[in-house]
Amino acid sequence: MGFPKRQPRPWLLLSVLICVQPGLSLATELIPYRPQITGWDLEGKVTATTFSLAQPRCVFDELADTADTIWLVVAFSNASSGFQNPQTLAEIPASPHLLSDGYYMTMPLFLDHLPCEDPEGGNGGVPVLRVGNDVSCSQQPYCNDPLPSPGPYSVKFLLMDAHGSPKAETQWSDPIALQQGKAPGSIDTWPGRRSGCMIVISSILSSLAGLLLLAFLAASTMRFSSLWWPEEVPEQLRIGSFMGKRYTTHHIPPSEAATLPVGCEPSLEPLPSLSP
């Protein structure tokens, strides 16, 4: 499917002469397009280290050739005025220059990466450029590293030919500030700020936790109490004691012992010795 035909745009005839070196100047088209945060309903369009831009679809289609490259220039807002368009590929600043110079260039795209068709008619992907999204590309040139500070940042798109000479550029975006986390001391933890439902739920959960703890302690006490305090042994089973109603001597059965005549009870005296 080809690109739709467009009418010539009058503003593309305007150009800005930029002094590059003494005695040398190049004409760079200034396109009245201002990059901005994507309008798609997405979560995390702006985070602590990234932000998502709308893709510049159909912005360079009448100026770019197939070999041209569209670059994204990222700069601190207070350093954007000091950025000079590079004139060769060797002059393109990489991401480490952000902290030293205040700007860098990243995410080179070709024109076929930015078709004019409605993205919903294609593969259904969301057409955004996520700045700072590459976490592990520090060893590659022109990395899209996570942004190191909240900013604010300003960005623009720069069209360069195959030799690295600029051909056209957009306007700088409005300042873009990243999300910032709150300091622990600034978080309000006073219970009065909480809703009534939250207080009731917290109270019920605390009470249940206390009851469960008490039940656990009671069960543990009953389980191990026998180890701490042994049960009382009945007196009849104590070692060294004996209880009985009758004592029968020797081997005389109880029935015979009861019928012996008086005076014939078994003698308890010792038997005479048989030794001489």
Side-chain angles (χ1 to χ4, degrees), residues 73 75-85 101-103 154 156 172:
V73 183
F76 289 116
S77 296
N78 58 1
S80 59
S81 59
F83 176 78
Q84 297 292 330
N85 293 334
D101 300 334
Y103 46 76
S154 295
K156 74 173 181 178
W172 286 100

Side-chain angles (χ1 to χ4, degrees), residues 113-131:
H113 294 154
L114 303 170
C116 292
E117 290 86 351
D118 188 347
E120 294 184 355
N123 56 10
V126 179
V128 297
L129 294 177
R130 194 170 183 86
V131 182

Side-chain angles (χ1 to χ4, degrees), residues 61-163:
D61 57 324
E62 295 184 6
L63 290 173
D65 297 327
T66 56
D68 294 343
T69 308
I70 302 171
W71 290 82
L72 177 68
V73 183
V74 183
F76 289 116
S77 296
N78 58 1
S80 59
S81 59
F83 176 78
Q84 297 292 330
N85 293 334
Q87 305 303 311
T88 63
L89 295 176
E91 297 178 6
I92 295 177
S95 56
H97 288 261
L98 177 63
L99 297 178
S100 59
D101 300 334
Y103 46 76
Y104 71 101
M105 295 172 61
T106 185
M107 286 193 288
L109 299 171
F110 294 105
L111 192 61
D112 57 355
H113 294 154
L114 303 170
C116 292
E117 290 86 351
D118 188 347
E120 294 184 355
N123 56 10
V126 179
V128 297
L129 294 177
R130 194 170 183 86
V131 182
N133 192 49
D134 296 337
V135 179
S136 59
C137 77
S138 58
Q139 303 300 325
Q140 303 176 9
Y142 315 120
C143 280
N144 184 24
D145 288 332
L147 299 172
S149 67
Y153 299 92
S154 295
V155 298
K156 74 173 181 178
F157 292 102
L158 179 63
L159 177 65
M160 303 180 70
D161 61 20
H163 302 288

Side-chain angles (χ1 to χ4, degrees), residues 166-238:
K167 296 176 61 176
E169 63 181 342
T170 66
Q171 298 176 347
W172 286 100
S173 69
D174 294 330
I176 301 172
L178 302 183
Q179 300 288 344
Q180 300 185 53
K182 291 185 177 180
S186 65
I187 300 176
D188 189 1
T189 58
W190 183 50
R193 301 292 184 185
R194 302 176 183 175
S195 63
C197 294
M198 184 177 294
I199 295 176
V200 172
I201 293 174
S202 300
S203 301
I204 293 175
L205 293 177
S206 301
S207 301
L208 290 177
L211 292 176
L212 289 175
L213 180 60
L214 290 177
F216 174 76
L217 293 177
S220 301
T221 302
M222 295 179 62
R223 173 66 179 83
F224 296 103
S225 60
S226 60
L227 300 177
W228 299 336
W229 300 291
E231 296 182 359
E232 185 71 19
V233 180
E235 184 179 358
Q236 293 86 345
L237 301 180
R238 292 179 183 176

Side-chain angles (χ1 to χ4, degrees), residues 267-273:
S267 176
L268 300 178
E269 296 179 1
L271 296 175
S273 177

Side-chain angles (χ1 to χ4, degrees), residues 231-251:
E231 296 182 359
E232 185 71 19
V233 180
E235 184 179 358
Q236 293 86 345
L237 301 180
R238 292 179 183 176
I239 299 175
S241 65
F242 177 80
M243 292 185 64
K245 296 182 180 180
R246 188 173 184 178
Y247 177 73
T248 303
T249 61
H250 303 294
H251 62 279

